[in-house]
Amino acid sequence: QVQLVESGGGLVQAGGSLRLSCTASGRIFSIIAMGWYRQAPGKERELVATISSGGSTKYLEAVKGRFTISRDNAKNTTYLQMNSLKPEDTAVYYCNVDQFSSAELQTLRLSVDYWGKGTLVTVSS
């Protein structure tokens, strides 16, 4: 099993910044990508940002230019720097890790997703 521990959420005023972090531990074999999703009340979970093992990134259009995802492969940790926060960024943010759990599964290209418990980000207007 893989455990994900998130931190960094909290309450911030509009225009402020927060930095989320997520560390993966346990049976880590080969992480493909790490990312952040969010879910606001009454809405579906959406992809915020992902970063591949090679450093390629993808962002939700609404956060481009304000959020930056990064990762420390040696520490199996990903960070989400969130600047110029808006009230509409208020949500529970979930860390996601996609990995191959063994060499056999890697050969078969079968990956597994793991999720953190989420950290609440509240942006006041």
Side-chain angles (χ1 to χ4, degrees):
Q1 272 290 29
V2 174
Q3 295 79 40
L4 303 180
V5 177
E6 301 139 325
S7 63
L11 173 64
V12 64
Q13 288 188 333
S17 298
L18 284 173
R19 187 192 194 209
L20 306 182
S21 65
C22 171
T23 299
S25 61
R27 296 187 64 182
I28 297 170
F29 178 75
S30 178
I31 294 177
I32 304 166
M34 305 182 80
W36 293 92
Y37 289 69
R38 69 185 182 187
Q39 187 166 19
K43 294 188 177 181
E44 295 187 352
R45 189 174 297 189
E46 63 181 354
L47 171 68
V48 176
T50 62
I51 184 166
S52 71
S53 57
S56 298
T57 58
K58 181 190 300 183
Y59 292 95
L60 177 70
E61 190 65 34
V63 307
K64 285 182 179 178
R66 299 189 297 122
F67 291 10
T68 302
I69 189 170
S70 60
R71 65 186 282 179
D72 183 332
N73 289 333
K75 296 181 179 180
N76 294 319
T77 297
T78 182
Y79 306 96
L80 185 67
Q81 179 65 44
M82 305 185 294
N83 298 329
S84 302
L85 282 161
K86 304 176 181 179
E88 51 263 44
D89 294 319
T90 295
V92 177
Y93 284 70
Y94 296 92
C95 178
N96 171 268
V97 167
D98 185 26
Q99 78 145 6
F100 294 119
S101 299
S102 67
E104 180 181 21
L105 292 176
Q106 187 170 21
T107 300
L108 295 172
R109 310 306 291 176
L110 294 176
S111 64
V112 180
D113 273 320
Y114 297 90
W115 294 91
K117 294 182 178 180
T119 184
L120 177 62
V121 172
T122 304
V123 184
S124 63
S125 56

